Amino acid sequence: MLTLEDVHAGYTAIPVLNGVSIRVDEGQFVAIVGPNGAGKTTIFRTISGTLRPSGGRIVFEGQDLASVPAHRRPHLGIAHVPEGRQVFASLSVYENLEMGAYTDAGRRDWARNIEAIFGWFPRLKERREQLAGTLSGGEQQMLAVGRGLASSPRLLMLDEPSMGLAPTVADFIFERLLDIRQSAKLTILLVEQRVAEALDQADQGYVLEAGRVVLEGPNEALRADDRIRQAYLGM
Ligand code: ATP
């Protein structure tokens, strides 16, 4: 469904991605893990189009994204839930979700999507009239995920959904992602610093260090890998 082929990118003369190749198949849950500054968010920016790669190719469902401007990519079915949530603080929960439904598919599926989102995140339903800026961190993350889902994506990209959340709240969100993926038949690409949790959920993982993929494989193989166990799982 999505391939990155030897992608290079950066913001200044210093390269951040040094030839990243990643493959995500339809229906898969893929995690990209790695330390601070490895370039995980930068990968997402190249996929959503806010940063243009200086080399390589990104292909989504057979289409080379180089010719698709960033504002068109959500209409192809790519949803990016950014790091730090970035909900519209002065709008209500419901209005934030409506803002997410701006794609053709999102408008078409709105009635079904809003019911599903409220089913996965009952807190959002209870607080539908509350201003998003007054939600707790966990609730804001639920809202950010819900807003992404409201666009009726085929690929949901989540940038560190657990950031700044208590472990129990992060676990709740991770568990929901599994339900969402099953019932919405979505493909999920997750970037996470919580390596153990991310690899527990994902089918496939990539370990990124200094802008390069240093390890990749199915989750069981990565969790059993001595380098991962020592560097990331504290074993
Ligand atoms: P984290 O887990 O800390 O969010 P990350 O793996 O997502 O890290 P990126 O945010 O992709 O890392 O950043 C990779 C590198 O690119 C870092 O060295 C960062 O300082 C640099 N960088 C990110 N955004 C910009 C920018 N707008 N201008 C210049 N450099 C940037």
Side-chain angles (χ1 to χ4, degrees):
M1 153 179 266
L2 175 78
T3 53
L4 276 72
E5 300 166 13
D6 195 27
V7 170
H8 292 253
Y11 304 91
T12 59
I14 309 166
V16 174
L17 302 181
N18 299 298
V20 170
S21 297
I22 284 173
R23 178 193 160 114
V24 182
D25 290 332
E26 174 128 30
Q28 261 190 332
F29 189 143
V30 174
I32 303 173
V33 299
N36 277 127
K40 303 182 298 297
T41 298
T42 302
I43 292 180
F44 275 12
R45 291 196 181 122
T46 63
I47 300 169
S48 59
T50 52
L51 179 67
R52 203 177 180 78
S54 54
R57 240 160 61 100
I58 304 178
V59 179
F60 179 70
E61 299 196 312
Q63 184 169 13
D64 188 332
L65 291 184
S67 59
V68 183
H71 71 270
R72 288 294 317 161
R73 297 187 192 189
H75 296 279
L76 300 182
I78 300 176
H80 181 182
V81 178
E83 189 174 17
R85 343 223 227 255
Q86 300 177 23
V87 296
F88 301 108
S90 58
L91 297 184
S92 71
V93 165
Y94 194 81
E95 287 164 339
N96 266 271
L97 294 170
E98 282 181 325
M99 296 288 280
Y102 68 102
T103 59
D104 298 339
R107 277 198 290 268
R108 183 193 65 210
D109 301 338
W110 170 249
R112 192 177 68 209
N113 284 343
I114 187 73
E115 198 163 321
I117 293 164
F118 282 158
W120 288 312
F121 299 113
R123 286 265 198 125
L124 297 181
K125 185 174 188 182
E126 287 161 29
R127 293 167 188 273
R128 53 189 284 164
E129 304 305 336
Q130 188 173 329
L131 294 185
T134 65
L135 294 173
S136 72
E139 290 161 355
Q140 287 190 14
Q141 186 60 62
M142 294 172 207
L143 180 55
V145 173
R147 194 179 54 187
L149 291 169
S151 71
S152 264
R154 302 182 29 72
L155 173 69
L156 182 67
M157 303 199 298
L158 299 158
D159 195 344
E160 302 217 20
S162 75
M163 193 168 67
L165 303 183
T168 50
V169 180
D171 286 347
F172 171 80
I173 289 175
F174 279 131
E175 281 162 21
R176 277 293 106 103
L177 291 179
L178 288 185
D179 299 339
I180 290 168
R181 173 218 190 172
Q182 270 177 358
S183 46
K185 301 216 164 33
L186 267 179
T187 305
I188 297 183
L189 182 57
L190 168 75
V191 153
E192 255 302 328
Q193 275 189 54
R194 291 200 193 194
V195 176
E197 289 86 345
L199 293 181
D200 272 348
Q201 312 285 342
D203 309 309
Q204 193 78 14
Y206 288 84
V207 181
L208 192 75
E209 285 178 10
R212 284 198 173 81
V213 174
V214 293
L215 266 180
E216 61 181 272
N219 67 351
E220 318 83 64
L222 289 182
R223 275 182 301 171
D225 188 285
D226 281 342
R227 285 164 293 178
I228 300 274
R229 290 162 69 87
Q230 280 166 17
Y232 296 108
L233 304 180
M235 294 177 187

